[in-house]
Amino acid sequence: MKCDKFIEALGQRVKILEVTRQYEDQVTALVELNDLPEAVRFLYYDMGGYLSTMIPNDERSINKHYALYYALSMEGGKMFEGDEIAQDEKCFVTVKVLISPESLVFPSVTPLVPACVWYEREAYDMFGLIAEGLPDKRRLVLSDDWPDNLFPLRKDAMDYRYRPDMKEHYMEPEYDFLRPEGSGMIDVPLGPLHITADEPGHFRLYCDGDTIIDADYRLFYQHRGMEKLAENRMNYDQMGYLAERVCGICGYAHAIACIEAAEKAINLEIPARAQAIRIVCSEIERLHSHLLNIGLACEVTGNYNAFMHIFRIREYSMKLAELVTGGRKTYGNVVMGGLRRDMTGHEIKESLRILHIIETQVEEVWDAVMDDQRQMKRWKGVGILDKQVARDFSPVGPNIRGSGIKRDTRYDHPYDFFKQVKFDVAVVEGGDVFAREMVRYMELKSSVSIIRQCFELMPQTAIIVDPKFHVKPENYSLAYVEAPRGENVHWIMQGSAQKVYRWRCRAATYNNWPSLRFQFRGNTIADAALIVCSLDPCYSCTERVTVVDVRSKKSKILTHNDLKAFSQTLKNSPMKDLK
Amino acid sequence: MMKLLDISKKYGEITHKYPFEPYKVAENFRGKPAYIYDLCIGCAACGVACPSNAITVQLNENKSKLIWEFDCGRCIFCGRCDEVCPTGAIKLSEEFELAVKFDKSAMIQRGELEVQCCSECGKPFSAKRLVKYSLECLSKANLGEKRLEEAKSYVNVCPTCKKTATVANFTAGKEMVIE
Ligand code: SF4
Ligand code: SF4
């Protein structure tokens, strides 16, 4: 069986207490608490794993303990040709540990596997589980004035409607940004809102002149507590819709991942036609998302002309979504057991016509953008994600594929109809903004071809199976979907009465943030917005920027427009009068 | 640079004149659910199906009316109400211009339905139209004459009284024969 090889190898390293299988490609190994770092490190570096997600869980009502699940995608290190696990052996191995509620302490894996850093910080925020040895123990998700002893995801902590009193803004504790040593450094906070669309995130750039030496950031200003909202309250009919609203751009990928996690936990196979249409819709989503990102990558560098053309083409993809699903952004057609809406012959014909337009026009515009030397200069060599950094932090999507690492969930762990469909994984060497945009362009073309193949190959079956299934409490499973930004991983542990016990939703960008710091280093502040943009975070916008000279303690607040104008024109550096 | 200008020339002006010209949405667009009061029987199927609790069907305070209420601000346009409604009283429309100026109550739509009171205890338990609808369905269901007569009396009894009656009959040793 799949996975056995890894479990056997792991067993020779550390003592495995129990092995359980969740799905044909998913097993969980329970290990002793002290063996945790070594077990994860061994699977990650020695056996070729990437960290997909980590789930802390309050299982006191089940086994009187808290549990941690480190889910690793076993696919090979992919650092060089041939450094990859055979296609039919790729799988997910989860390392599980139990933590006693008296001690609440577990050994941190981060010193050995840096990719774990955010997960372990979040484990403290949400459950009060302390990672001993974690180099960075600051809060991650909750706001700085959140009460100290309230851990919202503990089952007995609070009602989901409870809102602790906010502190007056002058009483709010200061967030402790990591800052590099040395003098002559200038502090540039970027945020609370970020530059390319309007989502909050605060970046602090440490500059020497115009060059960024290091960076730190504070995100999660808009944490909505969806996981808490869903737990024990929502049924699976409602959850698909809630998951679709995790993201304003690639929500559909979340909807499928969430529902498929529930389906996998009870081994429910959905009809082939439903699988194909799920893929069609998710590829349509990729079309509009990638066009948005390429467009914005032009816009932040001042190339309005290209931006407008790309958005003109993007409108076709929105129309396509409207045609196929009845909505431009929320497709709302996923339910447990299949789909709610079939495609008619007429819709397929019309879709093919629109796809043809998108395909030819994208080629035209891309060709023109590539021809533009000024644009290329802004993209090339900027925001480099080093291959080794990528290996250490498990980023996903175009972000890692632009660094020459062939990671794509559709290829590594083909789900749904991807077992039938053929496509080439877009991999570009270089790791700069250009490489990432190139990956996106190549994926636009492969998405068009994937949709066409689905239309050709999808059988005339029903689109939903008889939903007479019984959810088994305490069953859990992972589901993974390649969203436009990379792999989305959802983990569901089922509870009684058709409700979920624990839902862990890990969006693609969560894995991309921790390595951003390295991408900033050595670039100029004019490129900061572009670098963040090329990550394709669920967009946000630097509303204003404060510039602080650490030596003279002079500071200056730049508005959103100041910084944006500087990024676009490269004239009138905001640092000028501070030096 | 020049290539982009050529492309602009090729495709010309594409900006849509909206809102000065209507915007045509795709067939089967999922817009605001449209409610047809005359068809609604107050069965509450839509309220049960609605994932975001946009539709509620409840008795009003003095229990004189059954209130069907739809809050467009909560609606996520999923179309489940449309799927489950037995009479087609609620259907997704093509309407997408939903903004209201200041007054949020403009987003709320209500329908008041006559209540049916229980013939035994006199308490309201359902909508008159639902009872009528049930009878209509039964009369089309190929039941025997006698059964139909029986049905006419028990559709007017509330679930609580029905339960009490069944228990009473059972303890009294009366057999209920269903033909
Ligand atoms: S469309 Fe969906 S959310 Fe809106 S009222 Fe109907 S069921 Fe509720
Ligand atoms: S008749 Fe239709 S609209 Fe009226 S309550 Fe029943 S399901 Fe809702």
Side-chain angles (χ1 to χ4, degrees):
Chain A
M1 280 279 258
K2 266 188 187 178
C3 320
D4 290 349
K5 190 180 121 189
F6 301 105
I7 294 296
E8 211 171 282
L10 182 66
Q12 284 167 5
R13 275 271 158 173
V14 298
K15 192 168 154 228
I16 299 179
L17 305 173
E18 188 193 15
V19 178
T20 47
R21 183 176 287 275
Q22 285 75 50
Y23 200 65
E24 56 177 10
D25 63 345
Q26 298 174 22
V27 288
T28 302
L30 178 69
V31 302
E32 304 239 15
L33 198 53
N34 288 332
D35 288 338
L36 171 71
E38 175 54 18
V40 176
R41 190 209 58 81
F42 173 71
L43 287 172
Y44 194 97
Y45 285 111
D46 296 358
M47 299 303 287
Y50 276 91
L51 186 69
S52 274
T53 182
M54 189 273 260
I55 307 106
N57 195 13
D58 178 357
E59 296 182 357
R60 281 174 299 168
S61 60
I62 302 169
N63 52 27
K64 302 200 173 58
H65 284 82
Y66 289 96
L68 294 179
Y69 298 81
Y70 286 75
L72 292 125
S73 158
M74 307 308 297
E75 52 190 58
K78 299 184 173 170
M79 293 296 281
F80 47 85
E81 192 80 28
D83 182 15
E84 196 176 326
I85 292 169
Q87 197 63 12
D88 57 353
E89 284 181 359
K90 289 179 179 170
C91 60
F92 287 91
V93 176
T94 304
V95 178
K96 175 182 177 181
V97 286
L98 295 175
I99 301 170
S100 94
E102 282 83 50
S103 81
L104 297 173
V105 175
F106 67 98
S108 169
V109 184
T110 310
L112 301 179
V113 182
C116 301
V117 59
W118 273 33
Y119 295 102
E120 293 183 349
R121 285 170 68 184
E122 189 177 336
Y124 177 75
D125 273 11
M126 292 306 191
F127 291 90
L129 299 173
I130 301 155
E132 203 50 59
L134 178 67
D136 181 357
K137 284 208 169 104
R138 295 170 302 160
R139 278 222 160 127
L140 179 71
V141 178
L142 297 176
S143 65
D144 299 316
D145 60 350
W146 185 268
D148 272 339
N149 287 314
L150 185 60
F151 301 107
L153 282 183
R154 285 190 185 173
K155 296 287 176 207
D156 52 4
M158 58 181 241
D159 186 77
Y160 74 99
R161 282 162 299 204
Y162 174 69
R163 300 286 177 275
D165 294 333
M166 278 192 287
K167 292 207 173 109
E168 291 294 331
H169 70 90
Y170 57 85
M171 299 271 290
E172 228 177 278
E174 214 25 63
Y175 184 71
D176 189 15
F177 282 98
L178 297 178
R179 46 169 53 243
E181 301 283 309
S183 63
M185 220 116 49
I186 298 173
D187 226 35
V188 183
L190 202 78
L193 284 177
H194 177 261
I195 311 198
T196 13
D198 302 288
E199 275 176 58
H202 183 105
F203 295 80
R204 200 159 280 226
L205 309 176
Y206 300 102
C207 304
D208 182 5
D210 276 351
T211 312
I212 304 170
I213 298 170
D214 206 349
D216 193 17
Y217 23 91
R218 175 93 173 103
L219 300 156
F220 294 95
Y221 289 103
Q222 263 188 335
H223 193 75
R224 285 167 291 178
M226 281 189 169
E227 288 166 347
K228 181 91 188 167
L229 178 66
E231 274 177 24
N232 295 318
R233 280 188 66 244
M234 290 204 167
N235 58 31
Y236 294 102
D237 267 350
Q238 295 171 312
M239 275 189 64
Y241 301 107
L242 180 70
E244 191 158 3
R245 281 156 182 82
V246 167
C247 172
I249 301 288
C250 55
Y252 190 71
H254 282 288
I256 327 182
C258 170
I259 293 297
E260 284 184 5
E263 284 167 357
K264 282 194 172 139
I266 53 165
N267 261 309
L268 183 74
E269 177 87 15
I270 64 162
R273 194 176 174 85
Q275 293 182 12
I277 297 179
R278 280 185 186 181
I279 298 304
V280 168
C281 296
S282 68
E283 292 304 314
I284 292 175
E285 189 172 75
R286 195 180 317 279
L287 285 177
H288 88 70
S289 172
H290 279 0
L291 284 166
L292 173 98
N293 183 262
I294 299 175
L296 289 174
C298 291
E299 198 246 14
V300 275
T301 52
N303 191 352
Y304 273 108
N305 208 339
F307 161 68
M308 287 295 179
H309 278 293
I310 293 166
F311 266 56
R312 172 175 60 79
I313 303 170
R314 181 171 181 259
E315 182 58 24
Y316 288 108
S317 61
M318 302 305 282
K319 271 277 169 204
L320 183 59
E322 188 184 314
L323 175 80
V324 174
T325 68
R328 286 166 62 94
K329 172 56 202 58
T330 41
Y331 305 161
N333 58 8
V334 195
V335 281
M336 208 156 154
L339 278 186
R340 289 173 52 212
R341 179 178 165 134
D342 204 351
M343 283 186 80
T344 62
H346 167 74
E347 280 170 358
I348 293 178
K349 234 168 92 194
E350 184 61 18
S351 305
L352 287 170
R353 189 185 68 80
I354 300 178
L355 281 176
H356 179 73
I357 299 178
I358 296 177
E359 194 180 28
T360 48
Q361 300 200 2
V362 162
E363 243 166 72
E364 266 173 14
V365 174
W366 183 255
D367 183 45
V369 172
M370 298 301 281
D371 238 28
D372 188 342
Q373 284 313 312
R374 279 175 29 218
Q375 182 67 67
M376 287 305 106
K377 252 205 210 132
R378 289 299 302 273
W379 283 1
K380 284 191 177 158
V382 168
I384 293 179
L385 175 63
D386 180 74
K387 215 168 172 171
Q388 187 57 47
V389 173
R391 178 70 184 98
D392 291 340
F393 282 91
S394 290
V396 290
N399 202 27
I400 193 167
R401 292 198 282 279
S403 293
I405 297 181
K406 193 178 175 186
R407 280 197 80 194
D408 187 326
T409 310
R410 296 175 291 173
Y411 154 77
D412 290 322
H413 307 284
Y415 49 91
D416 285 349
F417 217 56
F418 278 115
K419 290 175 199 110
Q420 270 101 309
V421 171
K422 288 192 182 58
F423 76 104
D424 290 325
V425 181
V427 185
V428 178
E429 297 286 339
D432 53 1
V433 174
F434 171 76
R436 294 193 273 279
E437 298 309 333
M438 192 67 191
V439 167
R440 294 201 174 96
Y441 169 67
M442 288 158 70
E443 289 187 1
L444 283 174
K445 299 183 70 167
S446 69
S447 289
V448 170
S449 131
I450 290 169
I451 300 176
R452 287 204 183 115
Q453 289 180 51
C454 283
F455 285 159
E456 242 164 63
L457 299 174
M458 76 186 179
Q460 286 288 353
T461 61
I463 54 161
I464 188 159
V465 284
D466 192 6
K468 269 192 203 109
F469 44 78
H470 285 289
V471 174
K472 295 181 224 135
E474 288 161 46
N475 261 15
Y476 56 88
S477 172
L478 277 172
Y480 33 84
V481 167
E482 184 74 17
R485 284 157 188 76
E487 161 205 59
N488 282 348
V489 181
H490 284 235
W491 187 92
I492 281 182
M493 178 181 268
Q494 299 182 322
S496 48
Q498 312 271 346
K499 304 270 161 73
V500 309
Y501 183 79
R502 167 88 164 106
W503 172 38
R504 171 78 164 110
C505 147
R506 200 274 287 154
T509 316
Y510 192 93
N511 267 24
N512 283 336
W513 286 121
S515 53
L516 175 65
R517 186 173 172 195
F518 302 92
Q519 282 164 276
F520 271 136
R521 290 182 184 168
N523 292 284
T524 70
I525 50 168
D527 289 328
L530 175 65
I531 295 170
V532 179
C533 163
S534 74
L535 219 84
D536 204 3
C538 292
Y539 269 95
S540 14
C541 215
T542 334
E543 193 61 358
R544 59 158 69 163
V545 173
T546 321
V547 191
V548 184
D549 186 327
V550 238
R551 242 188 297 184
S552 65
K553 296 274 183 301
K554 262 197 265 178
S555 77
K556 177 177 178 184
I557 293 184
L558 304 184
T559 63
H560 165 49
N561 290 340
D562 290 343
L563 187 78
K564 201 160 180 182
F566 178 53
S567 306
Q568 287 171 344
T569 61
L570 297 181
K571 285 190 195 117
N572 300 328
S573 164
M575 314 302 284
K576 231 174 15 196
D577 49 346
L578 276 179
K579 282 184 193 149
Chain B
M1 213 37 209
M2 288 316 288
K3 274 194 180 166
L4 276 176
L5 294 179
D6 286 346
I7 296 173
S8 304
K9 203 165 152 204
K10 183 168 165 192
Y11 294 107
E13 191 185 326
I14 52 113
T15 310
H16 201 277
K17 297 275 185 301
Y18 183 82
F20 305 107
E21 262 174 24
Y23 180 84
K24 181 92 189 73
V25 294
E27 221 179 301
N28 300 326
F29 178 75
R30 288 180 290 121
K32 178 186 174 185
Y35 176 57
I36 306 168
Y37 171 74
D38 290 342
L39 290 179
C40 178
I41 52 172
C43 67
C46 52
V48 173
C50 179
S52 61
N53 303 346
I55 299 179
T56 47
V57 184
Q58 279 167 342
L59 285 174
N60 66 355
E61 239 164 58
N62 60 17
K63 307 210 164 154
S64 58
K65 285 274 175 358
L66 190 69
I67 311 288
W68 182 96
E69 193 172 281
F70 166 64
D71 180 352
C72 193
R74 293 193 69 98
C75 177
I76 58 170
F77 314 105
C78 62
R80 286 191 68 89
C81 49
D82 183 332
E83 258 170 26
V84 297
C85 179
T87 61
I90 189 156
K91 276 207 153 49
L92 295 194
S93 69
E94 295 197 338
E95 200 184 329
F96 61 89
E97 293 154 310
L98 307 171
V100 292
K101 219 174 180 178
F102 308 120
D103 180 16
K104 278 206 178 152
S105 65
M107 287 193 172
I108 292 175
Q109 206 177 353
R110 297 170 126 236
E112 293 186 358
L113 300 161
E114 297 280 330
V115 287
Q116 173 78 40
C117 293
C118 173
S119 57
E120 300 286 315
C121 65
K123 285 196 191 122
F125 72 99
S126 179
K128 277 217 163 82
R129 286 189 195 166
L130 176 56
V131 173
K132 192 159 153 260
Y133 180 82
S134 314
L135 270 179
E136 272 165 28
C137 286
L138 284 172
S139 62
K140 284 181 208 137
N142 240 344
L143 290 179
E145 197 69 20
K146 202 168 144 229
R147 276 286 288 149
L148 206 58
E149 275 312 306
E150 253 173 51
K152 271 185 192 151
S153 61
Y154 72 66
V155 287
N156 292 324
V157 183
C158 76
T160 327
C161 292
K162 249 181 236 161
K163 219 190 299 166
T164 334
T166 317
V167 173
N169 283 341
F170 197 72
T171 37
K174 267 194 237 161
E175 282 277 332
M176 303 266 276
V177 192
I178 295 175
E179 288 154 29

